[in-house]
Amino acid sequence: MTDERLCCSVVICTHNPNLQRLGLVLQGLQRQTLDVGSWELIVVDNRSLVSLCDSLDLGWHPRGRVVREEQLGLVSARVKGIRESLGELLVFVDDDNVLDEQYLEVALRLQRQYPFLAAFGGSCVGVYEGPVPRRVQPHVGLLAVREIRRASWSNVPEAHECLPRGAGLCVLRGTALNYADQVEGDSVRLRLDRVGDSLASSGDVDLALSGLDLGYGFGTFPDLTLSHLIPSSRLREDYLLRLAEELGCSTVLRQRTLGHSTGLRADFFWRLKLLLRKAICFLPRNFVTLGFRISTAYSSGQLRANGLLDRGQALRPKGIRSVPAHRSWQGYLVKPRTFMHEI
């Protein structure tokens, strides 16, 4: 039963983490202005080679604990954290996210101020281990780095500007439990995010949009800010290309299996165009921009997902769900062609 004094649960999902970066994440949580007695800390050890139970010191937190999830995958780890949590608001923190000192306090204020939002997030500032190459600088958004300049919300899946990401994602308890019930046993949705070495990256969007079925919306707020600790290995072009392809694949899998529009027409001419783009990518590096290579990799991932679905290798066992174009809540309305409501 939910503790009436427990208003928030922080869930950190991790697999073979860098303990130095994870230590900085925990230090950021120690500095939170929200009274430590009103929130809990759950670290989900997702089948790390070395158990984290003896590696982490959570003695500073009266409700801090490590739980183990043996099914490999970020979505499975999130579900474990949801099942273990008691708070009315769940805040998902990656093992390389350092929250601003007031993050939890602000999140609870926003929850009370905008009760029609099931999921919300904020800005993510990149903190880099080394210099960012010039060709990579315009594309750090792939690494979840983003600045939210205005508060906005929507209940239309295509409203990407106000769609929160997994880093620092805040989700209402009821929505999270409903999401956990839906994805358990669903082989496709369980693999929409990282599984081992996979860079699939759509599980957070799947979770953020899950409140639509319950009549809620989602939003982003500049008042919420965190730092994303990014190692130099993620600034390599080959990593970004692989990430883009996995993102394209997982995005189409999510959209098609949930009945959302993909906006993709993979007809003969689209495939021919992609083939030509791939050929151009074989030209010397100085002749092809990184943006062109990234968009080509993303399209390749989309095509791969279409192939998997068309061949029946990624079918959902429970059929396809449809999501209405718009929802209303307490007098708020987002029309199908409005997409975004500024606050």
Side-chain angles (χ1 to χ4, degrees), residues 207-245:
L207 174 55
L209 293 179
S210 62
L212 294 179
D213 286 346
L214 303 177
Y216 291 94
F218 52 85
T220 50
F221 297 88
D223 297 344
L224 291 172
T225 305
L226 61 82
S227 298
H228 184 194
L229 309 178
I230 301 176
S232 299
S233 59
R234 296 185 186 179
L235 299 175
R236 294 171 52 92
E237 292 187 17
D238 56 347
Y239 178 88
L240 294 178
L241 293 174
R242 183 177 160 222
L243 178 61
E245 181 172 353

Side-chain angles (χ1 to χ4, degrees), residues 50-321:
V50 178
S51 175
L52 297 181
C53 291
D54 301 324
S55 305
L56 299 182
D57 178 14
L58 301 182
W60 57 271
H61 199 299
R63 296 178 182 270
R65 64 189 188 277
V66 177
V67 298
R68 179 92 172 177
E69 172 54 48
E70 293 297 338
Q71 182 171 344
L72 190 60
L74 180 51
V75 175
S76 297
R78 286 194 183 117
V79 170
K80 179 69 171 182
I82 292 169
R83 297 296 189 200
E84 293 282 336
S85 67
L86 296 174
E88 289 302 321
L89 181 69
L90 278 67
V91 180
F92 292 92
V93 180
D94 293 341
D95 60 9
D96 52 10
N97 296 165
V98 180
L99 303 185
D100 275 12
E101 294 181 0
Q102 296 183 335
Y103 198 98
L104 298 183
E105 188 174 348
V106 171
L108 289 173
R109 173 176 60 80
L110 293 173
Q111 177 200 5
R112 293 189 294 266
Q113 192 171 356
Y114 304 102
F116 52 90
L117 300 181
F120 55 90
S123 297
C124 182
V125 179
V127 178
Y128 305 99
E129 187 180 73
V132 183
R134 176 182 293 184
R135 280 170 57 94
V136 171
Q137 289 175 1
H139 309 291
V140 293
L142 271 174
L143 302 173
V145 175
R146 67 190 305 208
E147 180 185 4
I148 303 299
R149 298 184 178 180
R150 56 184 178 179
S152 59
W153 73 275
S154 180
N155 47 21
V156 179
E158 292 78 16
H160 301 295
E161 184 175 342
C162 48
L163 184 61
R165 303 297 187 262
L169 178 63
C170 305
V171 184
L172 297 183
R173 177 173 181 77
T175 299
L177 289 172
N178 181 67
Y179 165 82
D181 291 339
Q182 289 182 2
V183 301
E184 282 184 319
D186 190 323
S187 59
V188 176
R189 296 179 74 181
L190 285 172
R191 301 184 69 84
L192 288 179
D193 228 314
R194 274 32 173 200
V195 180
D197 294 332
S198 166
L199 295 180
S201 306
S202 294
D204 55 348
V205 176
D206 188 24
L207 174 55
L209 293 179
S210 62
L212 294 179
D213 286 346
L214 303 177
Y216 291 94
F218 52 85
T220 50
F221 297 88
D223 297 344
L224 291 172
T225 305
L226 61 82
S227 298
H228 184 194
L229 309 178
I230 301 176
S232 299
S233 59
R234 296 185 186 179
L235 299 175
R236 294 171 52 92
E237 292 187 17
D238 56 347
Y239 178 88
L240 294 178
L241 293 174
R242 183 177 160 222
L243 178 61
E245 181 172 353
E246 293 279 7
L247 177 60
C249 182
S250 59
T251 297
V252 170
L253 288 175
R254 175 185 59 79
Q255 291 170 332
R256 285 190 54 179
T257 55
L258 298 182
H260 299 172
S261 171
T262 65
L264 177 66
R265 295 182 58 188
D267 54 19
F268 171 78
F269 293 102
W270 185 89
R271 293 168 187 263
L272 179 60
K273 181 180 177 180
L274 177 58
L275 187 63
L276 292 174
R277 290 175 66 91
K278 286 184 174 181
I280 293 174
C281 287
F282 281 102
L283 292 173
R285 179 173 175 269
N286 292 337
F287 288 91
V288 185
T289 66
L290 180 57
F292 184 90
R293 294 178 185 273
I294 286 174
S295 63
T296 302
Y298 185 88
S299 296
S300 298
Q302 290 179 305
L303 184 61
R304 178 157 60 92
N306 265 351
L308 290 173
L309 290 164
D310 292 341
R311 291 194 299 270
Q313 295 180 13
L315 295 178
R316 293 184 70 244
K318 300 178 182 178
I320 291 180
R321 235 175 357 109

